Amino acid sequence: MTGLLALIVTGGFAALIATVHAGAGGTGFWMGVVATTLLAAWLVQRLGDAPDRGLPALAAPVAFGATVLALWEVLVLGLSVPMVLLPAPSAIAARAWLAAPMLWGDFAQTFLKAVLSGYVIGCGAGFALALVADRLPFLRRGLLPLGNLVAALPVVGIAPILVMWFGFDWQSKAAVVVAMTFFPMLVNTVAGLAAAGALERDLMRSYAASPGQTLWLLKLPSALPFIFTALKVNAPLALIGAIVAEFFGSPTQGMGFRITTEAAKLALDLVWAEIVVAAVAGSAFYGLVALAERAATFWHPSVRP
Amino acid sequence: MSRSILPVLTICAGLVLLWYGGAIWMNWQVVADTQARAGATPGLMEMVRLTLNHARPLLPAPHQILDELWRSTATLPVTSRRSLVHHAWVTLSAALLGFGMGTAFGVLLAVAVVHIRALERSLMPWIVASQAVPVLALAPIVIVALGAMGLEGLLPKAIIAAYLCFFPIAIGMVKGLRAPDATARDLMRTWSATQAQVFWKLRLPASLPFLFAGLKVAMAAAVVGAIVAELPAGAQAGLGARLLAGSYFGQTIQIWAALVAAAILSATLVGLLGAAERLVARRMGARA
């Protein structure tokens, strides 16, 4: 029954999209749109009752996303929304296909150079300082309130200064990423290193474990969930930092540069294509970190099935 | 808390010292070049004085930033285009309007998601996934699209701020509305409470701590959103416009002053929310 419904909805939207591309319209067309949308809503409702785990759980969000995409296409073309306002998904895809080499160049400039290097340096530095702070309680008590304060500040505003210091190329963007990722990592790692229970710590003492052994065998493992939280929070932050930093000046390449210049030229299909690239890169980055988390903290209650 | 005052002050003092050292070091070359061109050979103390009072330094010294802050807030009339209060107000109004819109939308969405199962199953994964998307990259599009519809100024910026802050609120609120455990819900059932009663008397109070956590994250995000929204549009006023103008004309002191103003603004707003949170918690009978 659900399968049949899915088939009808898919066919309905396919027919509607074909009609709208052929330039047809009229009352019958719009009645078709309403009917198909209602059927799609029913389908999503039915899929929502599927089991919580595994592949069936993906059916509802996938159906919902596909419906939104199809409606977007039909409505934008059917109502002939101007491109400046919202380009149709097909137009975005076509433009992305044509501009693929350029998009790849922007991706390499922003993501592979600036985001990745800045992310590694920022997270690494935050982690290192947290290790030091864990050994020096005075430093820890001083750093934690400051680190929490920084979370409330618009760190990305430092971008124009760093662009001035490190030049227009990717180094300045990486520096912004470092500034943005450093503090979440520091605060989370410090909290994580303090998370090991007093009982376990006493046990390590009674074994006469050295500070290094305690760190490696007890504190780091118990800090892993916190560290991965910071790594996950930092993944989209890093991308945002690099893109916003490019608003302040960049070589003639990069995702943030492309978005601002093409938006000024009203080439919104290209801007949307760039957004899609950013979205895919951001989600993939986040997903990879989440996968690493599952592999590294398989023992943690939130991961265990 | 009082135990951490001394360490915090020590670290702050260390940072200020480091800053002065950095200012001397970074501005040294510029000052040395100008002096050499002028044929002057200043002594060490004179060099230090010059590096810390350069008009367009690579890194301004803290007292220069404070001086600029004071000059551009207290000594100029608020209506002046060079007054930082004026620019801060432009950004603050956009951030607050966006925060209000984002909060309303986020809370409504959370209530809908908690009560409509299909919505939760189909929409929630997308909301979570969209957290990994660099939303700020959308800012230029929103500005251009709304500009094409004739909307300019406050509203586009507020919409970007709202877009940034509705995620943390919606996510926190959903978690909070789900916080009451089965025992509490069963108790409401044995009293044959209606769904509305369960919502107002159980779910909503239970969600408040989560809501406030989300609100604080959202407030900081709203300020960032309002500032960044001013960048691509080439806005004339606002802290973001000050940052951009400063970076075009190499006015580093102006950039730093705008940055500090933004930081004070953001920290104050988040602090106010924290105070409101404690007030509400006390009214609800939490231990201080």
Side-chain angles (χ1 to χ4, degrees):
Chain A
M1 178 64 195
T2 314
L4 187 64
L5 190 57
L7 218 63
I8 293 173
V9 170
T10 315
F13 272 124
L16 285 172
I17 290 172
T19 322
V20 85
H21 272 280
T27 326
F29 170 74
W30 289 112
M31 277 166 65
V33 171
V34 172
T36 319
T37 309
L38 288 178
L39 281 178
W42 188 28
L43 172 68
V44 169
Q45 168 109 43
R46 285 184 63 96
L47 289 173
D49 295 331
D52 272 352
R53 278 188 171 276
L55 274 183
L58 283 178
V62 167
F64 181 79
T67 305
V68 169
L69 212 58
L71 261 185
W72 178 356
E73 175 87 21
V74 169
L75 289 183
V76 165
L77 289 177
L79 298 172
S80 36
V81 177
M83 224 260 291
V84 180
L85 219 53
L86 191 65
S90 59
I92 298 171
R95 190 61 189 262
W97 177 252
L98 283 179
M102 191 174 75
L103 291 176
W104 170 256
D106 294 340
F107 172 77
Q109 168 77 18
T110 302
F111 193 85
L112 298 183
K113 289 182 186 167
V115 171
L116 283 187
S117 54
Y119 183 79
V120 170
I121 297 173
C123 291
F127 181 72
L129 187 58
L131 287 187
V132 176
D134 186 57
R135 295 286 290 152
L136 305 171
F138 186 79
L139 190 61
R140 185 176 67 224
R141 285 211 303 276
L143 274 179
L144 260 192
L146 289 179
N148 285 324
L149 175 71
V150 171
L153 304 182
V155 182
V156 72
I158 204 167
I161 292 155
L162 293 178
V163 169
M164 213 171 277
W165 286 358
F166 295 101
F168 280 167
D169 210 351
W170 61 269
Q171 289 88 346
S172 60
K173 282 75 201 174
V176 175
V177 176
V178 169
M180 290 188 77
T181 53
F182 175 78
F183 287 100
M185 191 63 183
L186 173 70
V187 171
N188 273 291
T189 310
V190 166
L193 289 174
L199 205 65
E200 290 86 349
R201 255 183 258 225
D202 285 349
L203 184 66
M204 291 307 271
R205 268 179 76 112
S206 67
Y207 289 156
S210 70
Q213 284 170 324
T214 314
L215 180 71
W216 185 248
L217 295 172
L218 172 63
K219 285 184 171 179
L220 271 186
S222 64
L224 270 185
F226 292 81
I227 295 172
F228 272 107
T229 302
L231 285 176
K232 284 196 289 187
V233 167
N234 277 343
L237 268 187
L239 203 48
I240 288 176
I243 289 178
V244 171
E246 285 179 359
F247 292 174
F248 285 99
S250 62
T252 55
Q253 210 176 28
M255 295 156 91
F257 165 80
R258 198 71 63 200
I259 287 171
T260 29
T261 49
E262 297 302 323
K265 285 192 238 162
L266 298 184
L268 274 245
D269 48 354
L270 196 54
V271 178
W272 274 100
E274 200 74 61
I275 298 278
V276 171
V277 173
V280 171
S283 329
F285 192 15
Y286 187 93
L288 280 179
V289 177
L291 276 182
E293 177 182 27
R294 289 180 76 90
T297 61
F298 55 90
W299 43 267
H300 196 262
S302 68
V303 176
R304 250 178 357 212
Chain B
M1 192 60 211
S2 62
R3 279 196 332 147
S4 42
I5 286 178
L6 183 67
V8 169
L9 287 182
T10 316
I11 288 183
C12 286
L15 285 179
V16 170
L17 274 182
L18 212 64
W19 192 327
Y20 271 107
I24 295 173
W25 180 64
M26 289 193 67
N27 303 331
W28 189 273
Q29 197 57 49
V30 187
V31 173
D33 286 351
T34 7
Q35 293 296 319
R37 268 200 299 279
T41 47
L44 182 64
M45 286 319 287
E46 178 65 8
M47 273 300 281
V48 168
R49 198 187 64 76
L50 286 172
T51 51
L52 293 184
N53 294 291
H54 196 267
R56 290 165 79 167
L58 264 178
L59 176 61
H63 69 261
Q64 287 180 294
I65 298 168
L66 289 180
D67 188 52
E68 165 76 14
L69 261 181
W70 175 256
R71 209 181 50 70
S72 57
T73 50
T75 63
L76 289 169
V78 180
T79 47
S80 160
R81 296 194 51 79
R82 278 158 59 213
S83 165
L84 207 52
V85 179
H86 165 68
H87 291 287
W89 167 247
V90 169
T91 301
L92 175 68
S93 53
L96 284 184
L97 181 61
F99 179 71
M101 290 175 0
T103 306
F105 188 58
V107 169
L108 285 181
L109 190 73
V111 172
V113 158
V114 167
H115 287 97
I116 305 171
R117 186 175 153 78
L119 207 56
E120 184 216 343
R121 296 299 301 279
S122 55
L123 188 58
M124 212 50 195
W126 287 103
I127 293 185
V128 173
S130 67
Q131 290 239 331
V133 174
V135 222
L136 273 183
L138 279 172
I141 294 193
V142 178
I143 302 264
V144 169
L146 290 179
M149 288 164 70
L151 283 172
E152 271 165 9
L154 183 65
L155 198 61
K157 292 196 283 179
I159 287 176
I160 290 165
Y163 196 72
L164 276 187
C165 54
F166 102 89
F167 289 125
I169 292 175
I171 300 275
M173 193 71 183
V174 165
K175 211 185 251 179
L177 291 173
R178 291 256 165 75
D181 56 5
T183 349
R185 288 202 308 271
D186 285 347
L187 187 62
M188 293 303 269
R189 267 179 78 115
T190 60
W191 286 334
S192 71
T194 63
Q195 187 143 23
Q197 282 170 326
V198 173
F199 178 77
W200 289 110
K201 293 183 193 299
L202 177 65
R203 286 190 190 273
L204 197 63
S207 72
L208 281 182
F210 296 87
L211 176 63
F212 271 108
L215 284 178
K216 284 195 270 188
V217 175
M219 192 73 246
V223 175
V224 172
I227 291 176
V228 172
E230 287 161 358
L231 300 180
Q236 298 300 312
L239 292 174
R242 289 290 275 186
L243 289 180
L244 204 59
S247 87
Y248 279 156
F249 300 114
Q251 297 286 351
T252 38
I253 303 183
Q254 177 189 322
I255 300 182
W256 279 99
L259 253 185
V260 173
I264 293 173
L265 195 69
S266 184
T268 311
L269 291 172
V270 176
L272 283 178
L273 277 175
E277 178 181 18
R278 280 192 294 279
L279 205 70
V280 169
R282 200 167 322 139
R283 279 285 303 276
M284 285 171 54
R287 277 179 298 147

